[in-house]
Amino acid sequence: MPNSTNNPIRKSWLTVHENSDFPIQNIPFGVFLTKEDVITIGTRIGDYAIDLGALQQLNYFEGIELTDDMFMQDTLNDFISDGKKTWRSVRNRISEIFDSNNPKLRDNKEHCDIVIFKIEDVEMQLPVLIGDYTDFYSSKEHATNVGKMFRDPENALLPNWLHIPVGYHGRSSTIIPSGIPIHRPMGQTLPNGETSPVFGPSRLIDFELETAFITTDANVMGENIPINEAEDYIFGMVLLNDWSARDIQKWEYVPLGPFLAKNFASSISPWIVTMDALEPFRCKGPNQEPMPLPYLQQKGKHTFDINLEVYIEPENVEASLVSKSNFKYMYWSMSQQLAHHTSNGCRINSGDMMGSGTISGPTEDSFGSMLELTWGGKNPIKMKDGSERKFINDNDTVTMKGYCQNSSVRIGFGEVVTKLLPPFVRK
C-alpha cells in the first residue's frame, strides 16, 4: 500500500504553527490520559492530541481491518504487531480525516469535542509495554572519545568495534516517559587513589544523547532477519536520554560491562515517529572501512538527517544549549543493528526498544554526553547564570529535542524532559 501522508503541500484544518514538530505529514503515535482519566491511544497534529479510540468508535476507520478495541488500550503493542500495512492504512486515513479540504469531522462539532484535546490537557504515558531493551554503542566519534580518555589514545577503538554493532541488554523496568523526574542513584565507587570502594550517591551523573527504535514482531526463535528486510520490522523512533552514572560505571563495568550505572533511568519522548514519516529525510551514513561481513553489508541511504539538541536548565535559570548533533553521524545503521541482533536467532517482539548509543558528531559542540563535552570534567561548561557544570547537578533539568527539516516540511519528535532530584530518602 502506498504512503500518501508525505505530500508537503497538504494542510490540516487544525491550526499548526510554522515551526511545529507535528504537521499533518508527521502523524506519530502515543498513549495519553485525558482529564476524565480515560487512557487511550492517540496521535498529534500541531498542539492537539487526537483520540484514536474515539475515532474508531465513531467509525472513522471503517474499511480498515482492526480489532474492535485496537485503539482503546493502554499500549501500542497490539497495533504495532499488526504490521506495516495496518500502520500505513491508519496513517493514510488520519491524513485524509484532518485534511483541510475534508469537512466530515471538521464540521461535526459533537464529534470534534469527543476526539480532539488540547495537548496541555492530556498526560502522556509510556507508549509501549517494553519487554526487552538493548542499547548499542554505534557512534564512532563517541567510542573514539571514550577510548582516548580511558585507554590508549593511539588505539582508541577496541578491535571488534569496526566489525560488529556493539551492544548490551538493558533494563526495561526503568524506562520512563518525558516529564518524570529521577533520583540521583546510590552505588559503589572507587575514589581516586583508593584501593577500597565506598557506597554513596553517584557524583558523576551524565546524560547520553540517543535515539531509539521500536520493533514489531520480527521472527521466531532461531530465525535471523536479513539486512535488506530489517527496516520492515521497525515501527518508528523516539528520543532517548540514557542516563549514566560515570563513577559507578568505571568501577563496575569490568568484566561484564554496564550494570547499575545504566539501569536506574532511561527517559524517552512519548510520541513514536514512524519510519514512513521520516522517509523524506533519508540519507547516506558514514563510509564503513573495513567493509562489514556480508550479513551486515548494505548500499544506499540507510540513515536519517535528524537534528538533535541538548539543553541543561538549572533550577530557576534559563536553559543553556550544550550540544548540537545529528543522527546521520551514526556509524552503524538501525538495519545493521537489528540484523546483527538477530544473527544468532534472538527473538524480537512487538514493543522491544533498541537504543542507538550516544550520538556524538565530529566537533566538540556536537558531543553527546557531558563526559565528552567537559572531557571528563576538565573543561566545565558555563550556564547562563555563570555557574559551571562538569556533570549534571541535583535539580538540573535536561531537555533533548530532535527534528528533521527540509525546504518544505519539518518533522519532529517533540522533546524528552527530565529533572534530576537528590538521592531518594526513605521516610
Side-chain angles (χ1 to χ4, degrees):
M1 168 175 290
N3 170 26
S4 64
T5 61
N6 289 342
N7 182 350
I9 65 171
R10 173 171 264 167
K11 302 291 183 184
S12 172
W13 49 265
L14 288 170
T15 301
V16 179
H17 299 298
E18 183 180 357
N19 290 320
S20 172
D21 281 352
F22 302 100
I24 194 171
Q25 290 81 8
N26 191 339
I27 312 180
F29 292 95
V31 174
F32 60 81
L33 189 69
T34 69
K35 278 185 173 179
E36 290 75 33
D37 287 334
V38 175
I39 194 164
T40 186
I41 289 171
T43 189
R44 178 172 177 175
I45 296 177
D47 290 331
Y48 296 96
I50 296 154
D51 184 341
L52 298 184
L55 271 182
Q56 184 179 8
Q57 286 180 302
L58 294 168
N59 293 321
Y60 282 88
F61 293 120
E62 187 177 5
I64 301 175
E65 290 187 20
L66 300 170
T67 57
D68 291 342
D69 65 342
M70 177 64 80
F71 296 122
M72 290 170 278
Q73 302 184 40
D74 58 3
T75 74
L76 280 158
N77 293 59
D78 282 357
F79 176 63
I80 295 172
S81 288
D82 258 22
K84 182 178 280 191
K85 181 182 177 182
T86 298
W87 314 335
R88 189 168 284 180
S89 297
V90 168
R91 290 185 71 253
N92 286 349
R93 181 64 58 83
I94 294 168
S95 183
E96 293 167 9
I97 293 167
F98 289 92
D99 187 288
S100 58
N101 297 315
N102 188 345
K104 185 177 180 181
L105 176 62
R106 182 193 68 196
D107 295 348
N108 189 327
K109 186 177 185 307
E110 182 183 354
H111 283 190
C112 284
D113 289 343
I114 296 170
V115 168
I116 302 168
F117 299 85
K118 292 181 180 178
I119 197 69
E120 61 264 27
D121 291 338
V122 303
E123 182 181 316
M124 298 306 299
Q125 309 293 301
L126 204 63
V128 290
L129 178 63
I130 300 168
D132 280 301
Y133 163 44
T134 299
D135 191 33
F136 286 94
Y137 188 56
S138 291
S139 162
K140 186 176 182 182
E141 289 81 1
H142 174 67
T144 300
N145 289 338
V146 173
K148 285 179 178 178
M149 270 186 265
F150 297 113
R151 290 189 298 274
D152 176 10
E154 299 300 316
N155 297 284
L157 291 178
L158 291 170
N160 64 347
W161 200 92
L162 292 170
H163 297 276
I164 61 173
V166 174
Y168 71 95
H169 294 291
R171 177 101 182 148
S172 60
S173 64
T174 47
I175 298 172
I176 54 175
S178 176
I180 305 296
I182 65 171
H183 289 277
R184 180 178 294 270
M186 307 287 285
Q188 267 197 40
T189 60
L190 184 68
N192 289 335
E194 300 294 327
T195 57
S196 297
V198 297
F199 183 82
S202 168
R203 296 178 180 274
L204 307 180
I205 296 299
D206 202 353
F207 65 79
E208 290 192 354
L209 172 61
E210 301 192 28
T211 62
F213 64 87
I214 308 296
T215 64
T216 186
D217 300 295
N219 59 345
V220 296
M221 188 171 171
E223 178 187 15
N224 69 296
I225 298 174
I227 184 77
N228 61 336
E229 296 178 15
E231 211 172 281
D232 291 338
Y233 300 102
I234 299 174
F235 175 63
M237 296 176 66
V238 295
L239 303 175
L240 166 63
N241 182 353
D242 195 26
W243 293 90
S244 184
R246 299 294 183 188
D247 45 354
I248 295 174
Q249 186 171 353
K250 184 179 180 181
W251 172 239
E252 74 177 4
Y253 85 100
V254 177
L256 293 181
F259 185 35
L260 301 181
K262 295 294 300 175
N263 70 6
F264 63 96
S266 300
S267 308
I268 66 171
S269 53
W271 295 106
I272 303 175
V273 178
T274 64
M275 304 312 293
D276 274 351
L278 295 171
E279 186 61 34
F281 305 95
R282 188 180 288 275
C283 63
K284 282 189 173 182
N287 182 51
Q288 294 184 325
E289 183 64 39
M291 183 179 289
L293 293 175
Y295 79 101
L296 291 174
Q297 290 175 15
Q298 55 184 174
K299 295 180 180 179
K301 299 177 179 180
H302 294 285
T303 191
F304 299 88
D305 183 3
I306 305 172
N307 300 293
L308 300 165
E309 299 173 344
V310 185
Y311 297 80
I312 297 176
E313 181 182 347
E315 199 161 40
N316 301 317
V317 176
E318 186 181 350
S320 297
L321 175 64
V322 297
S323 176
K324 292 183 72 172
S325 193
N326 195 297
F327 181 72
K328 68 184 179 183
Y329 299 139
M330 298 302 286
Y331 187 86
W332 294 105
S333 72
M334 293 184 289
S335 295
Q336 288 174 317
Q337 290 169 341
L338 190 54
H340 181 66
H341 201 310
T342 62
S343 61
N344 68 342
C346 177
R347 184 175 175 183
I348 303 296
N349 296 313
S350 171
D352 285 355
M353 189 175 99
M354 313 280 174
S356 62
T358 303
I359 303 169
S360 291
T363 58
E364 290 184 0
D365 63 345
S366 65
F367 294 164
S369 67
M370 293 296 281
L371 179 69
E372 298 163 88
L373 289 165
T374 70
W375 210 253
K378 294 178 182 176
N379 307 310
I381 296 173
K382 275 204 170 181
M383 300 291 100
K384 292 195 174 177
D385 63 348
S387 64
E388 293 184 336
R389 292 294 183 277
K390 296 179 180 179
F391 290 90
I392 306 301
N393 287 3
D394 288 348
N395 299 310
D396 284 351
T397 297
V398 176
T399 298
M400 294 178 177
K401 301 180 181 182
Y403 64 94
C404 311
Q405 191 157 17
N406 57 29
S407 59
S408 55
V409 69
R410 172 184 172 121
I411 300 291
F413 294 80
E415 57 188 26
V416 54
V417 182
T418 319
K419 185 173 185 175
L420 177 65
L421 302 177
F424 177 80
V425 177
R426 185 175 293 279
K427 295 179 181 178

